[in-house]
Amino acid sequence: SYGVLEFIAKPLIDLTDIEAEADTSRLSSSGCFAIQTICELLAFAVASHGQRPEALIKKNSLAQKALVVAAASGHKYLQLAPIRLVKAMTKAEDHMYLFHMLETGVFGVILKILEQSCQPPS
């Protein structure tokens, strides 16, 4: 058990990858805010507690799930929160975070978000 972090991240843990892509259209503004807050709290935990949240994030691919939801969403604030989580994971200088991000394709999803942000508004 991961304690409070597991309770906080439960909405992201419960998403499968397919659901993450499909559920964005059904996210209310409060659901978007919840995902954003979860990402911010996980980023704080990574920055403050080092290896403590590592197992939870790796086991459940939380960074990837958050980024997939963000990439499918049109909300800028929801797109930036998972990127801040990845930034905290990168700044932690823990090679296990980096290996996990490479294995799950986190950087590819970030590039997809960047590409979407460069598109002219329709």
Side-chain angles (χ1 to χ4, degrees), residues 9-66:
K10 185 113 173 86
L12 273 180
I13 292 171
D14 291 344
L15 284 179
T16 63
D17 292 336
I18 295 168
E19 287 175 345
E21 291 182 33
D23 276 353
T24 55
S25 61
R26 295 188 295 140
L27 275 179
S28 64
S29 59
S30 60
C32 290
F33 180 71
I35 299 291
Q36 177 195 8
T37 304
I38 290 168
C39 290
E40 299 291 352
L41 290 171
L42 286 173
F44 176 77
V46 167
S48 301
H49 301 291
Q51 294 180 339
R52 224 170 203 189
E54 180 182 343
L56 178 70
I57 291 172
K58 285 174 45 181
K59 178 183 175 207
N60 298 295
S61 298
L62 294 181
Q64 182 195 24
K65 288 179 182 180

